[in-house]
Amino acid sequence: MKAAILTRYGAPENIRITEVADPAPGPGEVLVRLHATAVNSGDARVRAVDVPVGMGLPFRLAMGWSAPRQRILGTEGAGVVAGLGVGVSQFAIGDEVMVFPGTRMGCHAELMKISETGNILAKPKTLSMVEAACMMFGGLTALDFLQRKARLQKGERVLVTGASGAVGSAGVQIARLLGAEVTGVTSTANLELVAALGVVAVVDYTKGPIPVPSQGYDMILDCVGSLPYPLARPLLAKAGRLIKVWATLPEMLLAPVTGRRNGHRVIAGVSAESRDDMMTLVDWAAAGHYRPLIDSITPFDAIVDAHRRASSGRKRGSAAVVFAAGATQTPA
């Protein structure tokens, strides 16, 4: 099979398309022939070791020193079941599925294997392969932080920074589905795009500081690291929560005590990868309530271009990569 191999950390050009042996599914494993995947910010940051302050050494110790031990990146994908290990009962050859190996990665290849009890679900018929391949990275991150870690309540006022990105656009939609009133922060070029996601207001960060509302925000979902607590404090309501999706090591360590004297709570850390949350997103998508934002669609042989786009700072939603013709077509 063809696979995108990261030869060493650094520039997008360090990605090479290479022929490698096909994986063989073991007992209880499903072999998936991918039709589409995504190069998201997580992939780009792993490739470039673009990590928050203080996380460089822990990252290399966990992932690999000069290159990741798992040299095939890719946290999410969609395709068709191509093989079954002994004992698999939940899937059959030809089933259309979506997968999220997450930090295990492996989706930037024509074939990947995954446990049938892992993060693999049937693809809704209403989604194209590209849509199915691009909805989990941003969606799972936003859902875990908003619902589980911060316990968003119906009627709360939420501010989302980086609202045009994969996590931010998912956060806007999910916060609305959970009953919040959402304000999005983005650049001038993306104002209309974010407005179309259903926010009550859009803030253009290029025009100056974020206006301080009279009541304050009950929750701030900071997807891009632009609001450290000192800047977020005047924006927060009494008992408000600041969610740091992109947090430095000091912010993570000090989160339990930061803001407490002002009645605020800071939440920072790593999002969970939950199959139950995958099912929630799939149900919302099947009902037409949630859709991933697609920035671009690139053929697999040009995946380096998708990495460049993901690292450009201008990506809107997910940079999709397709292996198969027809992957972009939404079923009737």
Side-chain angles (χ1 to χ4, degrees):
M1 70 172 182
K2 288 183 178 180
I5 304 295
L6 179 58
T7 59
R8 65 185 186 280
Y9 295 126
E13 291 73 23
N14 291 349
I15 298 286
R16 297 281 189 271
I17 303 294
T18 307
E19 287 284 346
V20 300
D22 292 356
E29 291 182 330
V30 177
L31 183 68
V32 179
R33 181 169 296 279
L34 292 167
H35 286 204
T37 183
V39 176
N40 53 50
S41 58
D43 298 307
R45 287 168 179 163
V46 168
R47 188 206 73 238
V49 196
D50 179 13
V51 295
V53 172
M55 296 301 293
L57 179 59
F59 172 89
R60 289 180 186 269
L61 291 174
M63 300 293 291
W65 195 257
S66 60
R69 297 180 187 92
Q70 165 58 290
R71 298 200 177 199
I72 302 174
L73 306 183
T75 62
E76 57 187 339
V80 175
V81 174
L84 301 172
V86 175
V88 172
S89 60
Q90 298 181 38
F91 298 95
I93 301 293
D95 285 352
E96 294 186 341
V97 295
M98 50 204 303
V99 295
F100 186 78
T103 55
R104 294 180 179 88
M105 300 182 289
C107 286
H108 291 172
E110 292 178 316
L111 294 165
M112 63 89 63
K113 61 181 182 179
I114 188 170
S115 170
E116 74 165 333
T117 59
N119 290 342
I120 175 172
L121 296 174
K123 181 184 78 66
K125 297 184 183 301
T126 54
L127 293 179
S128 70
M129 287 289 184
V130 163
E131 290 172 320
C134 292
M135 64 181 288
M136 289 300 169
F137 173 76
L140 289 176
T141 301
L143 183 57
D144 181 57
F145 274 110
L146 289 171
Q147 187 174 56
R148 187 170 294 106
K149 290 183 170 63
R151 300 186 182 278
L152 176 63
Q153 301 298 309
K154 184 177 181 180
E156 289 193 308
R157 298 175 298 276
V158 176
L159 180 76
V160 178
T161 70
S164 60
V167 178
S169 62
V172 168
Q173 295 178 74
I174 290 168
R176 289 186 60 242
L177 284 165
L178 295 175
E181 297 180 0
V182 185
T183 297
V185 181
T186 190
S187 63
T188 307
N190 297 321
L191 293 177
E192 291 186 8
L193 182 151
V194 172
L197 296 175
V199 296
V200 296
V202 187
V203 175
D204 185 346
Y205 72 81
T206 69
K207 302 300 184 183
I210 298 171
V212 179
S214 57
Q215 294 180 304
Y217 294 102
D218 301 297
M219 188 179 299
I220 296 174
L221 182 67
D222 181 17
C223 300
V224 292
S226 61
L227 284 180
Y229 179 71
L231 293 181
R233 182 183 57 78
L235 300 171
L236 287 167
K238 183 179 180 180
R241 291 94 83 202
L242 170 63
I243 305 172
K244 297 291 297 179
V245 175
W246 179 253
T248 66
L249 182 59
E251 285 177 323
M252 291 184 191
L253 295 175
L254 294 173
V257 297
T258 301
R260 287 181 61 181
R261 65 185 299 173
N262 297 311
H264 297 148
R265 181 182 172 203
V266 176
I267 300 167
V270 179
S271 62
E273 299 172 1
S274 162
R275 194 180 192 190
D276 288 342
D277 284 354
M278 284 184 69
M279 294 174 67
T280 296
L281 294 175
V282 166
D283 288 344
W284 281 339
H289 300 316
Y290 171 72
R291 280 291 189 278
L293 188 61
I294 308 299
D295 173 86
S296 55
I297 300 175
T298 304
F300 179 63
D301 287 343
I303 193 171
V304 168
D305 292 336
H307 270 272
R308 292 190 186 105
R309 182 63 180 172
S311 295
S312 68
R314 299 187 296 274
K315 180 175 65 67
R316 298 178 292 183
S318 296
V321 174
V322 294
F323 299 85
T328 61
Q329 297 175 1
T330 302

